[in-house]
Amino acid sequence: MITVSRYPDNPILKPNPTNPWESSAVFNGSICKINDNYNILYRAQGKKIFVKGAELSISVIGKAEGSDGINFSKNQIFIRGSEDWDQFGCEDPRVTEIDGEYFTFYTALSEFPFNANGIKAGLAISDDLKTVKEKHLVTPFNAKACALFPEKINDKYAVILATNTDLPPSKIAIAYFDKKEDIWDHEKWKDWYKNIDEHTLPLLWSNMDQVEVGSTPIKTPYGWLLIYCYVLDYFSPRRQFQIKGVLLDLNDPQKIVGAVKDAFLVPETDYELNGNAPNTIFPTSVIIENGTLSIYYSGADTTICLATVAMEELYSRIRINNVVPIHMEKLTGNPILTPEGGKEWEANGVLNPAAILLDGKTYLIYRAVDKNSVSRMGLAISTDGVKIDERLPDPIYSPREPEEKMGCEDPRVTLMDNKIYMCYTAYEGDNTVRVALTSITVEDFLNRKWDAWTKPELVTAPGIYDKDACLLPDKISDKYVFFHRITPGISIDKSESLTFGEGKWLATKSYIIPRKGMWDDEKIGIGPTPIKTTKGWLLIYHGISTIDHWYRAGAMLLDIKNPQLVDARTKYPILEPSEEWEKVNGRGIVFPCGVVEIGDYLYVYYGAADKNIGVARVKFSDLLDYLVNQSYRKFLKYK
């Protein structure tokens, strides 16, 4: 972990009871050195006053001066609300000197009670950092933590900001402008915002978290250094504020060239744990002098604190691998399958599709739910893996046995010895759920001889709630290997044959468990059938969080000979609900069951909101490399 030293006499700036406007809090300071004089702009709050009928503590932006960057005096108000768009507060300044002017961006509050539409970025411009000569409302949309790069990039002004901070998940993004007046041109911002994802830095690992710009980027020989705030589990009681650092390309700062893997700081001291916002730290400014990076940050939204790190150590800790999150790309055309009008057998939903690639076509065997909540299997076919070219009018597999009278659910398929084996959930009713196995030859499948499916074998014991199953495509030690889920984890078991019954049911011989305090801490289950690679078995799996109970997907690499051994596992989800058609009653559900390899990509098919089917893709080699780079054993014996 990187060595960061808190200033021993922290906090360096505290509320001043003799100044009513800063008697409650001083925090989120932005440092600016003019000659040998250090100026710090900061958010200040004092006693409550009445503003347009509301009693509240209005934030203003104060300024103090000092000669060493630690001790400050001459506190005074620098920016206060004077326009309709900042009448309820001016917060969190970030100051940049460029072209002989000082640009101070801040958060402007225009409405009370506070809401996302009334929280936007404002700007004050000064010639001397003593008086403000002009003010502008910058963004026409919800934004905070706006800052201007201290020099032009490719002859353009570059602005970094956090959008949607009050409409999470937030995004850190970059905008470029030909002239300074364009910075407050709302029409330009509206055009930019239409394609916000094209401008976003890939810093958010999960939509359970929150990310926000910290300091104004500072130039180093290796790139623009951005110190920013990352909040793990933002929406939960266990959320944790972190100060993190990333290096951006000098000529294209939207490109991340390196990062420090570990957080610089998390709340630990009394002044970070206790205050107006307990257990909170937030970086807002940095300065580099004499080989040392000084980080100015807020302690519990009450005080301004200082921490330092040696630049030499920081550079030595910069890492290239795994510095940005790896996420699946949701493809245009989603959802690719929805319930089709007129078909009673799929009136209540199409979801959770298995997938197999045969003769260059992708076959999706999907679960279809009728109005009585009985499930059957339908079939859809795609030539390119996305557009559905054909969708059969009738089911290809329906309940046949008493143990599945309420439905055949959530298939996974395996191609072995010219047969397609399908594991699925047999639902008898009254919460009686078991795993069933059937098969069909590839020839009969392609010729659509659906009566050729073999009589299903129940492979798990009666009385045990067991589902989410697949058969591994290779035997191990001359035994068949099954993955299945006995809540809360993934069971992995071997069988001498594919005949089951009393004394031959799958048991729980090995187990992959949820991870405490992470996005998959409630329960986990397999996604598609694992894929064999030279580095191990690649397993895409689903996980549920105890915080919001959303379904997300991650990936694991399992030992090639002993797949119960997890060699690597994504720390963050690689697929998570973000679209309205992936949510039901406010709950997000993505549930992958199928995968095929098309070109350089894995196409992953998933049920969304227990109603629709979506597809996402990820470059196969990128996902594999990502896992290998964080492997527990680095796969030395497989290289």
Side-chain angles (χ1 to χ4, degrees):
M1 190 169 182
I2 193 167
T3 305
V4 179
S5 301
R6 291 173 171 86
Y7 181 63
D9 291 329
N10 269 339
I12 62 170
L13 207 60
K14 303 177 183 179
N16 185 349
T18 64
N19 287 339
W21 57 273
E22 61 175 352
S23 59
S24 173
V26 294
F27 58 111
N28 293 350
S30 179
I31 199 79
C32 180
K33 190 176 181 182
I34 304 176
N35 298 322
D36 293 327
N37 190 48
Y38 294 84
N39 294 264
I40 189 166
L41 307 187
Y42 56 91
R43 176 178 171 184
Q45 287 182 310
K47 62 181 182 180
K48 290 184 178 180
I49 59 174
F50 281 94
V51 180
K52 296 192 174 183
E55 186 183 22
L56 67 160
S57 179
I58 293 284
S59 291
V60 298
I61 294 175
K63 188 188 80 162
E65 301 178 30
S67 60
D68 58 5
I70 298 172
N71 300 286
F72 295 94
S73 61
K74 300 180 181 180
N75 301 43
Q76 58 184 292
I77 296 176
F78 181 59
I79 302 171
R80 66 169 77 239
S82 60
E83 310 294 332
D84 288 344
W85 47 266
D86 65 1
Q87 62 181 321
F88 287 105
C90 306
E91 303 178 350
D92 309 342
R94 289 164 177 83
V95 59
T96 301
E97 189 276 328
I98 191 170
D99 297 339
E101 293 180 304
Y102 296 90
F103 289 70
T104 301
F105 289 86
Y106 61 96
T107 301
L109 307 182
S110 63
E111 298 180 13
F112 186 83
F114 303 123
N115 62 80
N117 187 58
I119 302 174
K120 299 172 181 176
L123 170 64
I125 302 176
S126 172
D127 288 327
D128 51 13
L129 217 58
K130 294 180 181 179
T131 58
V132 173
K133 67 178 183 179
E134 55 186 287
K135 291 170 70 176
H136 303 280
L137 178 63
V138 175
T139 62
F141 48 78
N142 178 233
K144 288 181 179 178
C146 195
L148 180 66
F149 280 74
E151 62 182 61
K152 290 183 177 181
I153 298 173
N154 301 318
D155 204 34
K156 293 180 182 290
Y157 293 95
V159 173
I160 189 168
L161 72 163
T163 67
N164 301 341
T165 52
D166 303 281
L167 298 165
S170 60
K171 302 171 186 279
I172 291 179
I174 295 177
Y176 297 97
F177 302 95
D178 292 321
K179 57 183 187 292
K180 69 177 185 180
E181 290 79 11
D182 292 342
I183 295 173
W184 52 88
D185 185 324
H186 288 188
E187 293 306 313
K188 292 187 182 299
W189 277 110
K190 288 176 183 177
D191 289 341
W192 177 90
Y193 189 75
K194 290 176 184 176
N195 301 299
I196 179 64
D197 289 338
E198 295 179 8
H199 314 297
T200 300
L201 292 175
L203 293 173
L204 190 65
W205 292 82
S206 169
N207 60 19
M208 299 177 70
D209 305 337
Q210 184 84 327
V211 65
E212 196 167 322
V213 175
S215 66
T216 300
I218 192 167
K219 194 173 188 179
T220 77
Y222 303 98
W224 293 102
L225 175 63
L226 173 68
I227 301 298
Y228 66 102
C229 182
Y230 197 97
V231 190
L232 285 172
D233 296 330
Y234 178 74
F235 303 97
S236 83
R238 71 187 187 202
R239 71 180 182 180
Q240 182 189 63
F241 280 75
Q242 299 179 343
I243 295 177
K244 304 193 78 172
V246 65
L247 274 181
L248 312 177
D249 187 86
L250 288 173
N251 297 311
D252 180 10
Q254 201 168 320
K255 180 181 178 182
I256 295 175
V257 296
V260 177
K261 181 180 178 182
D262 300 314
F264 286 57
L265 288 177
V266 297
E268 292 176 345
T269 66
D270 178 70
Y271 52 82
E272 297 163 351
L273 298 173
N274 299 294
N276 295 326
N279 201 30
T280 301
I281 56 174
F282 197 95
T284 46
S285 187
V286 297
I287 193 169
I288 298 175
E289 293 183 306
N290 302 317
T292 297
L293 176 72
S294 295
I295 304 171
Y296 294 82
Y297 69 97
S298 162
D301 280 4
T302 305
T303 61
I304 295 176
C305 308
L306 176 64
T308 59
V309 58
M311 292 300 296
E312 183 177 356
E313 180 180 358
L314 189 151
Y315 292 142
S316 71
R317 298 281 183 170
I318 294 292
R319 295 291 181 266
I320 303 302
N321 293 325
N322 295 353
V323 299
V324 297
I326 186 163
H327 287 146
M328 292 186 183
E329 172 195 5
K330 295 176 184 177
L331 299 177
T332 302
N334 271 317
I336 61 170
L337 219 59
T338 58
E340 195 167 74
K343 290 183 179 179
E344 291 188 4
W345 60 277
E346 59 175 48
N348 273 12
V350 294
L351 60 152
N352 302 354
I356 188 168
L357 193 65
L358 298 171
D359 295 339
K361 293 182 178 181
T362 299
Y363 291 79
L364 298 180
I365 303 172
Y366 62 90
R367 173 182 169 188
V369 187
D370 70 16
K371 62 183 179 180
N372 296 315
S373 299
V374 176
S375 295
R376 299 169 179 83
M377 307 294 185
L379 182 67
I381 305 167
S382 173
T383 301
D384 64 4
V386 179
K387 181 179 179 293
I388 301 300
D389 301 306
E390 184 182 5
R391 184 172 178 177
L392 271 59
D394 300 304
I396 68 167
Y397 195 90
S398 298
R400 294 182 284 171
E401 304 298 325
E403 294 85 357
E404 59 190 28
K405 63 184 179 183
M406 287 302 296
C408 306
E409 305 177 352
D410 306 346
R412 276 86 167 177
V413 296
T414 301
L415 182 61
M416 184 188 295
D417 300 329
N418 204 40
K419 280 187 179 182
I420 299 170
Y421 291 88
M422 182 171 71
C423 289
Y424 62 92
T425 300
Y427 182 36
E428 184 177 351
D430 297 325
N431 215 31
T432 301
V433 174
R434 297 171 70 182
V435 172
L437 173 68
T438 184
S439 66
I440 189 172
T441 66
V442 171
E443 181 181 7
D444 284 341
F445 183 87
L446 292 175
N447 288 327
R448 305 184 182 187
K449 294 183 178 180
W450 308 129
D451 58 353
W453 287 103
T454 60
K455 178 181 171 62
E457 286 266 1
L458 290 168
V459 303
T460 56
I464 298 176
Y465 191 93
D466 203 339
K467 60 186 305 184
D468 295 339
C470 76
L471 172 65
L472 210 62
D474 281 2
K475 287 184 176 181
I476 295 179
S477 300
D478 204 32
K479 293 182 179 180
Y480 296 99
V481 180
F482 284 85
F483 287 67
H484 55 117
R485 188 183 88 195
I486 298 178
T487 301
I490 299 170
S491 296
I492 304 173
D493 293 295
K494 297 178 182 178
S495 176
E496 298 282 355
S497 72
L498 296 180
T499 301
F500 299 88
E502 191 64 39
K504 296 181 180 180
W505 307 118
L506 292 184
T508 302
K509 296 297 177 64
S510 59
Y511 210 56
I512 302 173
I513 62 174
R515 296 176 293 186
K516 185 177 180 181
M518 299 188 72
W519 63 272
D520 54 1
D521 61 350
E522 182 175 321
K523 58 184 176 180
I524 60 172
I526 66 163
T529 302
I531 301 168
K532 189 176 185 180
T533 79
T534 58
K535 308 299 183 183
W537 292 101
L538 173 62
L539 171 65
I540 295 167
Y541 73 102
H542 67 262
I544 301 96
S545 166
T546 56
I547 294 172
D548 56 16
H549 307 292
W550 282 27
Y551 280 72
R552 298 173 172 85
M556 302 181 196
L557 266 179
L558 311 177
D559 186 271
I560 200 73
K561 296 180 180 178
N562 299 295
Q564 69 268 24
L565 300 178
V566 179
D567 281 320
R569 187 167 170 180
T570 52
K571 185 177 180 181
Y572 296 92
I574 60 175
L575 179 68
E576 51 190 337
S578 60
E579 309 301 321
E580 285 307 311
W581 54 271
E582 297 171 330
K583 300 173 186 177
V584 57
N585 297 325
R587 185 187 185 202
I589 301 174
V590 293
F591 195 89
C593 287
V595 63
V596 297
E597 186 178 355
I598 301 176
D600 296 332
Y601 289 88
L602 293 178
Y603 282 65
V604 176
Y605 301 90
Y606 61 95
D610 287 346
K611 190 76 173 182
N612 311 294
I613 292 175
V615 60
R617 71 177 187 177
V618 63
K619 199 168 185 179
F620 197 170
S621 58
D622 287 351
L623 180 57
L624 196 58
D625 288 345
Y626 181 87
L627 285 163
V628 168
N629 285 331
Q630 63 181 30
S631 163
Y632 305 124
R633 296 184 295 168
K634 298 298 181 186
F635 298 95
L636 294 177
K637 64 181 180 180
Y638 299 108
K639 289 185 177 179

